[in-house]
Amino acid sequence: MKRISILLVFHILMGACCMAQSNAERKEYASRVKAAFVKAWNSYMNYAYGMDAVNPISEKGHNWYSESLLMTPVDAYSTMCLMNLKKQKKQARELIFSRLNFDKDMDVQQFEIAIRMVGGLISSYLLDGDRRFLELAKDLGDRLMPVFDTPTGIPYRMVNLRTGAISGNVTNPCEVGSMLLEYGMLSKLTGDPKYYDKCKRGIVEVYKRRGKTGLVAGGINCDTGEWTDNKAHIRGGIDAFYEYLLKGYILFGDEDLLHMWQTSLDGVNRYLEDRTADGYWIGEADMNTGERTATVFGALDCFWNGCLVLAGETERAKKLQESIFKMWTMHGIEPEAIDYKTMQVLSPGYMVRPEAIEATYYVWRATGDSRYYEMGKTMFESIEKYCQTENGYVQLSDVRTKEKWDTLESFFFAETMKYCYLFFAPEKVFSFKDYVLNTEAHPLRNTWDKGWRGDYMMHGGGDGRAAQ
């Protein structure tokens, strides 16, 4: 598994052959994706200026909490940089630098704020160069740090940005570990290892408590370290915990992360993968016995294909991609979740999620097979057909009826449009040799000296709490 970085470069070089195909068509599609992004951004500027997100149909906006954190401008900025949207960048910068302030007496969900806001601000600094982005990221990161002050080191879910009061002592692996890239970058850029070390300790403490399958479950008590359920899967609540073990190793060269990733990958391949007459899937099992507990697969699970590609598991990725596309085309656009044994829809909404498009992009770049490029086109056309309104883009409440759901969250700008654009953009726009994409698709520069691991280590490092 130490060959991951080499395999990654090999895959991207292999994928480069597809960039020579259909230059005129790719240019046309790139322009269409940019136009879609601009239309959605104009909707935000017209109806939700200064708020977190837009409701295009009712022509208003909404905030996640009692006050705005400018989620859409922060989340959108890295995509604007890649698209070279100068006017929109200027608008977003003016909003961010004139209005963004984290001294607010309100509780926020640490994980979501870290991947969207800390990640977005750091990526903006790396792509733009304006140090004010980094200063904002550090201020926010410092305000989030109290969540790690727990008996186990496993972070609480919520923190008050002004007082530092924490709450939510039952969490999940995703909210424990999928901030490591953001906090690791903050440590690298500021020279202060505390961000990386505190986050890594929480990851190690969860990993130490893994089941006999080598997998983690979907809920854990931060005070006691006891599991609150026993279901192992890769969907929401666990997903990016695994993603960040792999991407953290690629970005920072931390061998502890590689070890934990390999154990997790082996567990998923042995206990969670499933085959039916309708395809190859990743399901759910008891974390200790490995017994199958559910046959659920959904939009969030699609992220796994990017991990398979980065880990060199290309054949598995190709099989899972067929299932992902089948789920997408069942009703013309993907539902939130299905029972893959019966192929029945369990959760009918489409939240304009990016993970299926992300998966398709990774497999296309890894193989150079135009079949996956065509899948990417199909997915973008589905969004254009079903999610577009007169005033912008919205989610769907039911993919079977195509009934619209009047909201557009910030990840549409950060992820969905970014992955659509990367299918068609010139090769110089983005390279996996230079960047790792965080779970919100914010590019983080992959130029560090490898082998960096902060002060906290699994075995005998940091405060001496060694993993077993």
Side-chain angles (χ1 to χ4, degrees), residues 135-146:
E135 291 168 353
L136 285 166
K138 183 181 184 303
D139 178 37
L140 179 55
D142 288 337
R143 294 174 186 274
L144 298 176
M145 283 297 102

Side-chain angles (χ1 to χ4, degrees), residues 48-213:
Y49 183 87
M51 303 182 77
D52 282 330
V54 64
N55 306 92
I57 295 175
S58 55
E59 300 183 354
K60 63 182 183 180
H62 67 271
N63 293 326
W64 271 43
Y65 305 106
S66 58
E67 297 182 60
S68 173
L69 292 172
L70 296 180
M71 285 190 187
T72 288
V74 172
D75 239 358
Y77 196 78
S78 66
T79 306
M80 292 174 179
C81 288
L82 296 187
M83 291 183 175
N84 194 28
L85 296 174
K86 296 179 181 179
K87 175 183 176 181
Q88 290 73 24
K89 283 176 60 179
K90 183 174 184 293
Q91 292 171 334
R93 283 170 58 92
E94 288 176 352
L95 258 175
I96 292 167
F97 294 143
S98 66
R99 295 199 181 194
L100 189 55
N101 172 30
F102 299 121
D103 185 22
K104 299 178 186 295
D105 185 12
M106 64 185 190
D107 293 353
V108 301
Q109 186 182 9
Q110 180 264 159
F111 147 73
E112 288 284 3
I113 297 304
I115 63 171
R116 296 178 191 230
M117 301 294 296
V118 177
L121 290 166
I122 289 174
S123 183
S124 296
Y125 167 66
L126 294 171
L127 294 170
D128 178 280
D130 193 317
R131 194 168 182 83
R132 288 178 292 179
F133 286 118
L134 179 59
E135 291 168 353
L136 285 166
K138 183 181 184 303
D139 178 37
L140 179 55
D142 288 337
R143 294 174 186 274
L144 298 176
M145 283 297 102
V147 296
F148 295 100
D149 296 332
T150 70
T152 60
I154 298 172
Y156 274 33
R157 297 185 67 242
M158 308 292 291
V159 62
N160 186 289
L161 290 177
R162 178 172 293 167
T163 69
I166 59 176
S167 59
N169 70 336
V170 175
T171 188
N172 57 67
C174 182
E175 298 198 36
V176 171
S178 50
M179 308 82 62
L180 187 67
L181 299 189
E182 294 77 18
Y183 291 148
M185 291 296 295
L186 202 52
S187 284
K188 294 290 284 186
L189 293 168
T190 64
D192 188 341
K194 71 178 181 182
Y195 309 103
Y196 186 85
D197 288 342
K198 286 179 179 292
C199 188
K200 182 181 172 183
R201 179 188 169 193
I203 292 171
V204 171
E205 292 299 324
V206 168
Y207 176 78
K208 283 168 52 176
R209 294 164 171 84
R210 67 194 180 280
K212 295 178 181 178
T213 59

Side-chain angles (χ1 to χ4, degrees), residues 411-430:
F411 59 76
F412 174 82
F413 299 91
E415 301 181 76
T416 309
M417 286 293 97
K418 184 181 282 107
Y419 282 117
C420 284
Y421 181 65
L422 291 180
F423 264 101
F424 314 114
E427 189 173 1
K428 64 181 180 181
V429 167
F430 176 80

Side-chain angles (χ1 to χ4, degrees), residues 2 12 18 38 44 145 157 167 240 243 253 296-297 350 407 416:
K2 292 183 179 181
I12 302 313
C18 59
V38 169
Y44 170 81
M145 283 297 102
R157 297 185 67 242
S167 59
E243 178 185 358
V296 178
F297 189 88
Y350 175 54
T407 193
T416 309

Side-chain angles (χ1 to χ4, degrees), residues 8 25 31 93 111 143 297 303 323 330 341 346 364:
L8 173 63
E25 180 184 86
S31 296
R93 283 170 58 92
F111 147 73
R143 294 174 186 274
F297 189 88
F303 88 97
S323 299
M330 281 172 54
K341 187 175 182 179
L346 298 177
W364 176 58

Side-chain angles (χ1 to χ4, degrees), residues 343-415:
M343 297 304 288
Q344 297 299 307
V345 173
L346 298 177
S347 181
Y350 175 54
M351 297 178 65
V352 203
R353 291 198 188 277
E355 285 80 8
I357 306 167
E358 171 189 3
T360 311
Y361 176 68
Y362 272 90
V363 178
W364 176 58
R365 290 303 306 264
T367 65
D369 189 335
S370 61
R371 170 172 169 74
Y372 305 116
Y373 170 80
E374 294 297 326
M375 288 183 184
K377 284 169 53 180
T378 296
M379 292 173 177
F380 172 66
E381 294 288 9
S382 298
I383 294 170
E384 286 286 272
K385 182 176 181 179
Y386 299 121
C387 299
Q388 188 171 188
T389 69
E390 181 180 354
N391 296 326
Y393 290 80
V394 295
Q395 301 172 179
L396 300 177
S397 58
D398 194 319
V399 299
R400 296 164 297 190
T401 64
K402 309 302 185 294
E403 181 182 355
K404 289 180 169 56
W405 178 3
D406 182 24
T407 193
L408 189 70
E409 296 296 346
S410 65
F411 59 76
F412 174 82
F413 299 91
E415 301 181 76

